[in-house]
Amino acid sequence: MNIRRFRKEDWLQVKEIYEQGIATGQATFETTAPSFEKWESTIAANLCLVAEDEEGTQGWCKISKVSDRCVYEGVGEVSVYVRDVSRGKGVGKQLLEAIIKESEALTIIW
């Protein structure tokens, strides 16, 4: 499994995985995936990763800004989504470990 930064060309697979999460009724309160522009605008400090293998993107994670209020400065919400056929195989854990490492390496002020 290769973990790397999200690129715009990943969007269709990321959206598909997000829609699979929506379909479970357990991953989010959202009922539809947003447009690329709206989704991308929520990524804090370029902290968005994908997990890919030879079959394509198997999962993604990102950190979103929680609030514009100064008391929440530097606080983010982590989202982790894994393709349905890859769940239970450690993809989410790898993504979470990678995003933690990436975020801790930054001094983030949003």
Side-chain angles (χ1 to χ4, degrees):
M1 192 68 54
N2 178 45
I3 308 282
R4 62 166 176 78
R5 292 250 182 214
F6 168 83
R7 297 186 297 248
K8 186 175 182 175
E9 56 266 23
D10 298 319
W11 171 240
L12 290 180
Q13 290 190 63
V14 164
K15 180 181 177 193
E16 180 182 338
I17 294 166
Y18 188 47
E19 289 170 337
Q20 290 176 359
I22 291 170
T24 69
Q26 299 172 344
T28 180
F29 293 117
E30 300 297 330
T31 57
T32 59
S35 67
F36 170 73
E37 293 76 18
K38 183 173 181 181
W39 182 84
E40 183 185 42
S41 74
T42 65
I43 300 170
N46 198 31
L47 288 169
C48 185
L49 305 174
V50 296
E52 64 182 358
D53 63 13
E54 59 281 345
E55 295 182 25
T57 302
Q58 299 305 313
W60 60 270
C61 66
K62 71 173 180 160
I63 297 181
S64 303
K65 188 175 177 179
V66 171
S67 173
D68 288 328
R69 295 181 65 199
C70 64
V71 297
Y72 293 105
E73 188 174 291
V75 176
E77 173 187 339
V78 178
S79 298
V80 179
Y81 285 78
V82 177
R83 186 175 297 283
D84 55 4
V85 297
S86 294
R87 293 183 192 145
K89 298 179 180 178
V91 175
K93 181 179 179 181
Q94 289 179 57
L95 282 164
L96 189 56
E97 288 172 347
I99 202 89
I100 289 169
K101 184 177 178 182
E102 293 272 335
S103 67
E104 287 180 345
L106 298 175
T107 302
I108 301 173
I109 298 181
W110 295 314

